Amino acid sequence: MEYLTPKTISRRIFIEGIGLVSAGLVLGTLGGCEELAEQIRNRPIRRRIRVGSPDVDADIATYKQAVTLMKGLPSSDLRNWSYQAAIHGTAGVGFNKCPHGSEQFFPWHRAYLFYFEKICQKLTGNDKFGLPYWNWNQNPDLNPAFLDTTSVLFSTRTNTSVSTLSQVSTAELAPIFTDTNFYTFWPQIEGTPHNNVHTFVGGIFGGFGSAVDPIFWTHHCMVDYCWYKWNIDMGNNNPNASSWIGVTWNYFIDADGSTASPMTAGITELMPLLSYQYEHSDIGTPVPQKIIRTKAEFNRLEARIKAGADIRFEIKNRALIATKAAISISKPFNGETRANAGAFSAIIDNDDAKETVFASINYVQLPTESDFFVRVFINLPNANTDTTVKDPHYAGSFAFFGTSMPDHAGMDISAHKHVPKFLVNITPTLKRLKQQQLITDQSLLTVQLVAVPFLGKFENPSTELLLDTIELIVTPVIINSKEQ
Ligand code: C2O
C-alpha cells in the first residue's frame, strides 16, 4: 500500500512551475487498472462523525488513542500535542503559522491535517485511520465522545451544538457553494461557517489556541471537505497562478517526528486523490459524489486538478460605502452607496449573469471581543438585533475568529496582526428585493451591519469595530469547463 506520504512526495513528485509530476505516474507504477482502482479505493476513509455507526466509533476510538499518545510524548518529540497545536496558534499570542484571511486558508489547513493524520496513523499503528469530520450542517450536535469530561477528547466549551447557528444551515451554505470562483468561495467558507463554529462553540477552540481542543481537527476536516466537494464533486477549479500553487511550508512535522520536506499548496490539491478519501455526505444542497471507477477517469480528474484555471481576484466595478470608521457593536451601522440598484440591473435582472455583487467588508484589526457575529442587510436602515435572517433584506453574516492582541515585547508581531476581511454575496438579496418591489432601479443601495451576540448579550457592549473600508464589488462568475 503506498499512499501519498511526505517521503513519496519528495521522491516521486517534484515541483517546478505548475508543480507536479503526474500522480498517475506515482500510481501507474503499481500496475494495471485493477490494482490502481484498488489503490484508490483503499485510501483511508475520513468518515462523517455520527452516532450509531460502528465504523465511526472505531475511528473515534483510534483518534482518542492518538490524542492520548500525543499528549504523552515528551516535548522533545515534536509530534506532541501542544507542539502540534502551537504550529497553528497559541492562546494569548496569536496565530503562529495559520494563514487566516488569506488565499492559503484551504491548502495550509489541508497540509496541516495531512501530517497530523499521518502522525495519528503512525502512533496508533493503524495506517487505515482517516480523520473523521464534523459535518455541522448534517450533525450539528457535538458527538458525545467529545463531551465526556473524563476523556482526552474533552475541552471546556460554551456551546456543544450549533443547531441554532444559521451560518451552518443549508439556506446560508447553498448560495456559498454555488460560487464558482475560488477567490470569492474561500473567504465565504472561512468567514461564515468556519469562523462562526469556532467562536460559537467557544472555549479555547474559539480563539488562537484553538487546535488544543481535539474538536479542532474534526472541524477543519469538515472545512477541507467543503473545499473537496467544491473542487472535486462540483467540478470547480482552483487557481493555477504560481503565486498560489508555489507557496511552500517547510515546518510541518512528519510521522516520524522529523521536519517534513517542503510542502506546497499545489501538492495539497492532489492529497484527496492519493492519501485519503471522504465518506460522502451532504453539505447543504445535495450534490452527487464524483466516483472514480477507471484509470482513465482518474487521469482526467488529475489532469483537471493539475491544470487548475487562470483565475484571479478580479474586481470589475466597485461602489464605496465608507472608510475608516469606528463602529460600536451595540449600534447597527448604516452606510449608503452613491450607486442605485439600476447600476447593477444587468446582474439583478438576469439569471445567467456572468457577474456577482458582494459586500466587501474590511476591518483594520480584530476586535477585542468576538462573542458575536455580524448580519448584513441591504436597504433596511432600521435593521437591528431583532431583525431575523427571514427578513427579505438579509444577505448573510460573518464572525471574527480570534481577538486583537496587545503587542508583545520582542515578539514577531506579524504573526498575530491579522486583518479580518469578509465577502457577503448580496446578489440573491438584490434579486429578491427587486422581485418583491422592495427596491426599484432608482433606489440608492444601502448596507447595514448588525452585530448579534451569540449568547443574547455582549460581554463588553462598548467593543468597537474599526472598519477600514466597506464597499460593493462586482466580480466575474467563473465558467468551468467540465472534464470528460
Ligand atoms: Cu486555522 Cu479554524 O483555524
Side-chain angles (χ1 to χ4, degrees), residues 88 98 100 108-109 194 198 216 219-220 401:
H88 184 263
C98 170
H100 284 271
W108 187 90
H109 287 91
H194 166 266
H198 269 294
F216 173 93
H219 172 49
H220 268 280
F401 175 37

Side-chain angles (χ1 to χ4, degrees), residues 252-457:
F252 289 117
I253 302 300
D254 72 16
D256 301 317
S258 319
T259 304
S261 6
M263 174 54 70
T264 70
I267 290 177
T268 68
E269 296 186 88
L270 291 176
M271 286 176 174
L273 304 190
L274 301 173
S275 180
Y276 57 83
Q277 57 189 313
Y278 281 106
E279 178 186 57
H280 183 79
S281 67
D282 294 332
I283 308 174
T285 311
V287 168
Q289 181 181 13
K290 168 98 187 156
I291 296 172
I292 307 160
R293 285 191 196 77
T294 64
K295 184 166 181 174
E297 284 174 357
F298 179 88
N299 288 343
R300 275 197 296 272
L301 176 60
E302 187 214 351
R304 178 174 72 78
I305 302 299
K306 281 173 56 189
D310 184 18
I311 47 171
R312 279 168 296 267
F313 186 42
E314 200 182 333
I315 298 177
K316 295 273 193 188
N317 206 339
R318 60 210 315 162
L320 186 68
I321 299 168
T323 52
K324 307 289 177 211
I327 313 164
S328 159
I329 52 167
S330 31
K331 208 167 121 258
F333 164 88
N334 177 28
E336 248 180 43
T337 60
R338 300 189 163 267
N340 59 28
F344 302 99
S345 60
I347 303 171
I348 301 175
D349 301 340
N350 176 2
D351 280 340
D352 301 312
K354 300 291 178 280
E355 292 172 341
T356 309
V357 193
F358 288 94
S360 164
I361 302 134
N362 299 325
Y363 293 92
V364 174
Q365 62 184 47
L366 286 164
T368 51
E369 310 286 341
S370 58
D371 61 318
F372 58 89
F373 59 91
V374 177
R375 284 187 182 140
V376 179
F377 297 91
I378 302 299
N379 285 53
L380 191 65
N382 58 2
N384 59 53
T385 45
D386 296 328
T387 319
T388 71
V389 301
K390 297 264 188 298
D391 189 286
H393 301 81
Y394 177 68
S397 66
F398 55 84
F400 295 90
F401 175 37
T403 52
S404 72
M405 310 284 300
D407 288 353
H408 298 262
M411 271 206 40
D412 172 14
I413 57 163
S414 62
H416 59 256
K417 282 293 175 214
H418 168 68
V419 182
K421 38 184 199 283
F422 303 99
L423 287 179
V424 172
N425 181 357
I426 65 166
T427 317
T429 307
L430 292 174
K431 285 180 191 282
R432 184 168 57 234
L433 293 177
K434 197 155 173 195
Q435 272 154 16
Q436 299 184 11
Q437 294 171 1
L438 294 164
I439 57 171
T440 67
D441 278 348
Q442 281 67 49
S443 310
L444 273 187
L445 294 180
T446 66
V447 175
Q448 292 72 39
L449 304 179
V450 181
V452 182
F454 283 126
L455 297 176
K457 66 179 185 38

Side-chain angles (χ1 to χ4, degrees), residues 64 71 143-157 160:
K64 193 169 162 183
K71 286 188 173 174
N143 186 278
F146 293 85
L147 304 180
D148 169 5
T149 54
T150 64
S151 167
V152 288
L153 301 180
F154 181 78
S155 182
T156 305
R157 306 169 187 113
T160 57

Side-chain angles (χ1 to χ4, degrees), residues 78-205:
L78 300 184
R79 298 173 299 180
N80 80 76
W81 187 254
S82 13
Y83 186 84
Q84 286 299 311
I87 294 175
H88 184 263
T90 315
V93 174
F95 292 120
N96 296 343
K97 299 291 188 197
C98 170
H100 284 271
S102 103
E103 61 191 38
Q104 298 299 331
F105 175 73
F106 280 144
W108 187 90
H109 287 91
R110 177 170 285 174
Y112 185 43
L113 260 64
F114 169 83
Y115 290 109
F116 178 81
E117 188 177 59
K118 296 283 172 216
I119 293 171
C120 293
Q121 290 166 356
K122 181 74 183 239
L123 292 176
T124 59
N126 179 353
D127 66 356
K128 299 294 294 172
F129 171 71
L131 198 58
Y133 63 93
W134 176 27
N135 185 331
W136 10 256
N137 172 252
Q138 299 291 317
N139 302 83
D141 299 342
L142 270 187
N143 186 278
F146 293 85
L147 304 180
D148 169 5
T149 54
T150 64
S151 167
V152 288
L153 301 180
F154 181 78
S155 182
T156 305
R157 306 169 187 113
T158 311
N159 288 296
T160 57
S161 170
V162 294
S163 61
T164 58
L165 208 55
S166 72
Q167 292 84 357
V168 299
S169 67
T170 296
E172 293 210 24
L173 291 174
I176 297 177
F177 274 88
T178 62
D179 193 326
T180 54
N181 186 337
F182 179 84
Y183 286 108
T184 49
F185 174 67
W186 76 256
Q188 297 178 82
I189 292 291
E190 181 182 353
T192 302
H194 166 266
N195 283 5
N196 274 282
V197 169
H198 269 294
T199 316
F200 184 72
V201 169
I204 198 162
F205 177 68

